[in-house]
Amino acid sequence: MVIAPGAPPSVAAQIRASEAALWRAMQMGDVTQLDLLLHDDLLFNTPDGATATKAMDLANYAGGAVSWTTVEGRDLQVSAFGEVAVVAVTVRLVGDYAGMALDGDFRYLRAWLRVDGSWRVIGGSVTPMTPMS
């Protein structure tokens, strides 16, 4: 996508950039960046059916329970509705999640909310596309 000089990026471009920042923060275990990208009222359904909050997610990264060597997104789709955007994306994850080694593709559905000009993840879920080991 080419954006004219001085023109504000489209919502889709903003969300794509926010997703890329989220993937980097996940791979780097960057709790500070994750704190900025996740809404305080986040609710996120994990593959096992549990619901995680922002505090739980940040604690998992800070405590080392989540550690990724690979976080690569593809097939990203964005639907925007004013201050809300919904993303469907396939993410290849390689690493460790709560003591379980993962190496596979996962389909995420995320809701982003624009708050004071910044996009933050307020909700989502993830489903494995390949068997979890």
Side-chain angles (χ1 to χ4, degrees), residues 113-124:
L113 177 65
R114 187 171 19 212
V115 178
D116 298 327
S118 296
W119 290 99
R120 301 186 193 282
V121 179
I122 188 142

Side-chain angles (χ1 to χ4, degrees), residues 1-127:
M1 167 184 289
V2 176
I3 300 172
S10 71
V11 169
Q14 292 171 29
I15 294 300
R16 288 178 188 279
S18 295
E19 278 284 328
L22 180 62
W23 304 334
R24 281 189 305 276
M26 289 170 62
Q27 185 166 343
M28 301 301 295
D30 186 341
V31 176
T32 301
Q33 187 65 22
L34 288 168
D35 186 42
L36 295 173
L37 291 166
L38 303 178
H39 193 280
D40 289 344
D41 295 323
L42 171 73
L43 291 177
F44 193 87
N45 291 329
T46 62
D48 64 0
T51 300
T53 65
K54 176 181 178 176
M56 293 165 70
D57 196 40
L58 294 179
N60 282 336
Y61 277 94
V66 177
S67 175
W68 305 118
T69 57
T70 302
V71 180
E72 297 172 346
R74 67 179 189 282
D75 304 327
L76 185 129
Q77 299 170 312
V78 178
S79 292
F81 312 93
E83 303 300 307
V84 175
V86 177
V87 169
V89 61
T90 300
V91 179
R92 176 148 183 82
L93 295 174
V94 179
D96 184 77
Y97 182 80
M100 181 174 23
L102 295 181
D103 183 351
D105 293 331
F106 294 79
R107 191 70 177 166
Y108 282 81
L109 185 65
R110 270 194 269 273
W112 290 83
L113 177 65
R114 187 171 19 212
V115 178
D116 298 327
S118 296
W119 290 99
R120 301 186 193 282
V121 179
I122 188 142
S125 65
V126 60
T127 303

